[in-house]
Amino acid sequence: MSTTPASFDERRRPRDASRRKGPRDADPSGAGGSSSPPLVANTKEAKAAAKADLNERRARAQAGMAAGEEKYLPVRDKGPQRRWVRDYVDAGWHPAEFVMAVMVLVILASLLPSNMMISFYAYLVMMGYLVIAIGGMVLLAMRVKRKAAAKFGKERLERGLGWYAAMRALQMRFMRLPKPQVKRGQYPD
């Protein structure tokens, strides 16, 4: 099949604009402008204002989460049962809270060059303390489940309350989020 110069030119000719494929412009007048503002700030002042607004909202959310406001909490911390567990854990003393401090002391003791027996005994103390801390966490989880079932009803009890209590007890009190809302010894009803 031979191509003639006329047929070649016909193929290269642009299509008629009225037969164009694809979506049509929303503005039939062809002005091309839109009445809505741009989605992304395009001036330096607008970008600075958007960044300041974002920082302010983040700070408000962080303060709300630390204060235990329900709307700012992550899903794992929401609900009356989780609040009760947090208050129960925060009201008591737990050996698991001090695991990190004991580990730091053991590391410092192992750095002493004077005697290897000191680091060996420090390691044994740390292992014994870990056993005590894990035992305390298991007992706390069982106690929380039993008391929460008595308070909220066994059939309405959420899953994972024991684990939630154990993991909260493992954190040092000043590092917990949401921050503790009760003092030590102030157990919830």
Side-chain angles (χ1 to χ4, degrees), residues 12 31 57 62 72 75-76 80 95 104 121-122 131 162 187 189:
R12 295 207 48 185
R57 282 188 285 141
Q62 181 70 22
Y72 294 114
V75 176
R76 72 158 197 262
V104 168
Y121 287 124
V131 169
Y187 287 94
D189 298 335

Side-chain angles (χ1 to χ4, degrees), residues 65-68 83 85-92 97 168 171-184 186:
M65 187 173 83
R83 176 177 285 286
V85 170
R86 282 195 306 272
D87 290 345
Y88 189 85
V89 171
D90 294 339
E97 290 180 58
R168 187 155 176 97
Q171 300 168 350
M172 287 187 249
R173 185 176 168 92
F174 69 91
M175 294 178 72
R176 296 176 185 164
L177 270 180
K179 296 286 184 197
Q181 304 295 313
V182 297
K183 294 180 177 162
R184 296 219 193 243
Q186 199 177 23

Side-chain angles (χ1 to χ4, degrees), residues 138-179:
V138 169
L139 292 175
L140 174 68
M142 291 178 358
R143 191 168 50 242
V144 161
K145 283 195 252 181
R146 187 180 70 244
K147 290 190 178 210
K151 180 172 176 61
F152 298 104
K154 192 168 186 163
E155 63 282 343
R156 294 182 46 211
L157 200 61
E158 291 180 16
R159 290 176 47 116
L161 289 181
W163 180 257
Y164 183 70
M167 290 300 105
R168 187 155 176 97
L170 187 58
Q171 300 168 350
M172 287 187 249
R173 185 176 168 92
F174 69 91
M175 294 178 72
R176 296 176 185 164
L177 270 180
K179 296 286 184 197

Side-chain angles (χ1 to χ4, degrees), residues 15-123:
R15 290 186 179 176
D16 184 17
S18 63
R19 295 182 16 194
R20 178 176 52 186
K21 292 184 179 180
R24 301 277 185 237
D25 290 337
D27 189 8
S29 67
S34 69
S35 61
S36 63
L39 295 175
V40 178
N42 55 4
T43 65
K44 196 173 195 178
E45 295 83 18
K47 287 179 184 177
K51 187 175 182 180
D53 181 51
L54 179 66
N55 287 340
E56 189 261 327
R57 282 188 285 141
R58 281 184 182 161
R60 193 175 338 120
Q62 181 70 22
M65 187 173 83
E69 292 180 34
E70 194 74 20
K71 73 178 189 175
Y72 294 114
L73 292 177
V75 176
R76 72 158 197 262
D77 293 326
K78 286 188 178 184
Q81 293 182 22
R82 300 288 171 135
R83 176 177 285 286
W84 182 86
V85 170
R86 282 195 306 272
D87 290 345
Y88 189 85
V89 171
D90 294 339
W93 291 90
H94 309 286
E97 290 180 58
F98 306 106
V99 166
M100 290 297 284
V102 170
M103 287 184 176
V104 168
L105 290 175
V106 167
I107 289 171
L108 292 176
S110 68
L111 293 177
L112 293 175
S114 62
N115 194 351
M116 289 299 291
M117 291 305 289
I118 293 174
S119 60
F120 175 72
Y121 287 124
Y123 179 76

